[in-house]
Amino acid sequence: EKLVNRGIKALVVACNTATSAAINDLRQAYPDLIVIGIEHQERTHYLMPLRCMGYETREYERQARKHGKQLLKEYHEKRIQLTDAEYLCRFRKEDRLYPCITIVLYFGDEWDGATSLLQLLNLQELPEEFIPFINDYHIHILPVKQLERTDIFHSDLRLVFDSIRFANNTEEFRTHVLQNPAFQSLDDDAYHMIQTYSHSPELEKFEQTIYINSEGGAVNMCKAITELIAEGKEEGRLETKKELVHSMHKNGVCLEQIMQIASLSLAELE
């Protein structure tokens, strides 16, 4: 309701299963709202055209069944006029179904599967003159890692997509986060999604002791990255100091000298 009040033209439901579960209530409450279903994929699904076509076919069939029941009810209770053909198929000539849109949100490196139904079919032994009669079905793939422009998105989704694009380059990812002020106030769900798809154990570790920005209760990811870098440098200094101590001990340097050179107490040295 909040989104509708803000004047949205379409609603994207980030799971086709959730879309199927919620579509009836959404249609009834907001009949003019466009609902777009999203199918998430981290790996290529080689039957995706058939899978998406199945989603949309089932949705159209569901709409037709529901419409037919309502039409039949009105025919018996309100005595509305139907032709024989309209009564038979439970659908009037002027009736229309709601359009279905399915988008495949792909987080992998490269989609190497079919993008249409025809690409799944064995057409080699079929006479060419028959091919134009075969109905095709195309899928819409949004390859996140190959997106050239993310500025078209006006929410934390842009930050999530940017992070996934740079997920394979740690230094570029850190630089991008630190140079972008928007990461200072990141929705916690967006942060969790970035952590999940970047497969970063460091960000997962930080999530356990997450920093909450006092303005709006959002995650300050810039601070998270800064602390992780500082922590990494400190771990590097400790590792260097540990190697130095082992080297001096191996070469017969006494404990007092090692403590003085490494600036360590006896307890730390032990």
Side-chain angles (χ1 to χ4, degrees), residues 16 19-24 27 35 52-66 97-102:
N16 259 336
T19 304
S20 299
I23 193 70
N24 286 339
R27 293 292 187 212
V35 179
C52 290
M53 186 172 66
Y55 286 143
E56 296 185 7
T57 300
R58 287 192 293 273
E59 169 55 21
Y60 288 131
E61 288 175 341
R62 185 201 63 78
Q63 289 184 39
R65 285 195 302 271
K66 181 180 178 182
L97 303 176
Y98 291 105
C100 298
I101 301 175
T102 301

Side-chain angles (χ1 to χ4, degrees), residues 18-237:
T19 304
S20 299
I23 193 70
N24 286 339
D25 293 337
L26 289 171
R27 293 292 187 212
Q28 186 173 358
Y30 311 105
D32 297 326
L33 186 65
I34 300 172
V35 179
I36 301 174
I38 294 290
E39 182 67 24
H40 296 81
Q41 286 296 131
E42 292 188 47
R43 297 179 178 84
T44 302
H45 191 301
Y46 295 111
L47 284 175
M48 186 54 71
L50 191 61
R51 184 173 175 178
C52 290
M53 186 172 66
Y55 286 143
E56 296 185 7
T57 300
R58 287 192 293 273
E59 169 55 21
Y60 288 131
E61 288 175 341
R62 185 201 63 78
Q63 289 184 39
R65 285 195 302 271
K66 181 180 178 182
H67 180 82
K69 289 180 181 179
Q70 181 62 32
L71 193 66
L72 197 60
K73 181 179 179 182
E74 293 179 4
Y75 175 79
H76 290 295
E77 294 181 358
K78 300 181 180 180
R79 299 298 179 179
I80 63 172
Q81 295 297 316
L82 297 176
T83 66
D84 291 343
E86 290 173 335
Y87 180 84
L88 182 63
C89 62
R90 310 292 194 265
F91 202 80
R92 290 170 297 196
K93 181 180 179 180
E94 66 272 16
D95 289 337
R96 295 293 181 269
L97 303 176
Y98 291 105
C100 298
I101 301 175
T102 301
I103 297 175
V104 180
L105 198 59
Y106 181 57
F107 297 98
D109 292 325
E110 183 179 353
W111 183 271
D112 63 349
T115 57
S116 71
L117 180 63
L118 277 181
Q119 294 174 10
L120 293 177
L121 304 181
N122 182 2
L123 305 176
Q124 295 180 356
E125 299 180 4
L126 190 70
E128 290 188 9
E129 57 268 26
F130 284 93
I131 294 179
F133 293 94
I134 302 174
N135 291 322
D136 201 2
Y137 173 88
H138 294 268
I139 60 175
H140 308 288
I141 299 177
L142 186 64
V144 176
K145 288 187 177 181
Q146 280 76 47
L147 286 177
E148 295 182 359
R149 290 188 57 195
T150 57
D151 58 308
I152 58 175
F153 302 102
H154 304 288
S155 68
D156 282 348
L157 187 63
R158 173 173 59 85
L159 306 180
V160 172
F161 283 176
D162 277 341
S163 300
I164 293 173
R165 288 169 59 209
F166 299 131
N168 294 333
N169 190 321
T170 304
E171 288 305 317
E172 193 172 0
F173 171 62
R174 288 178 174 177
T175 301
H176 177 73
V177 170
L178 296 175
Q179 291 179 348
N180 193 332
F183 281 99
Q184 295 180 12
S185 183
L186 190 67
D187 181 82
D188 57 348
D189 288 335
Y191 178 88
H192 179 71
M193 191 171 181
I194 290 173
Q195 182 273 312
T196 300
Y197 282 101
S198 65
H199 304 291
S200 169
E202 292 85 2
L203 292 182
E204 183 177 8
K205 177 182 177 182
F206 182 82
E207 192 174 19
Q208 306 305 317
T209 56
I210 209 162
Y211 284 89
I212 302 298
N213 189 317
S214 58
E215 299 179 1
V219 179
N220 188 338
M221 192 166 172
C222 294
K223 191 170 185 178
I225 294 294
T226 302
E227 291 229 348
L228 289 171
I229 293 174
E231 183 179 315
K233 289 180 178 178
E234 181 61 28
E235 289 178 356
R237 285 194 291 268

Side-chain angles (χ1 to χ4, degrees), residues 241-256:
K241 189 174 288 188
K242 187 185 296 183
E243 292 176 0
L244 177 62
V245 169
H246 280 296
S247 177
M248 288 189 292
H249 179 67
K250 185 177 179 180
N251 287 282
V253 180
C254 66
L255 289 178
E256 290 76 10

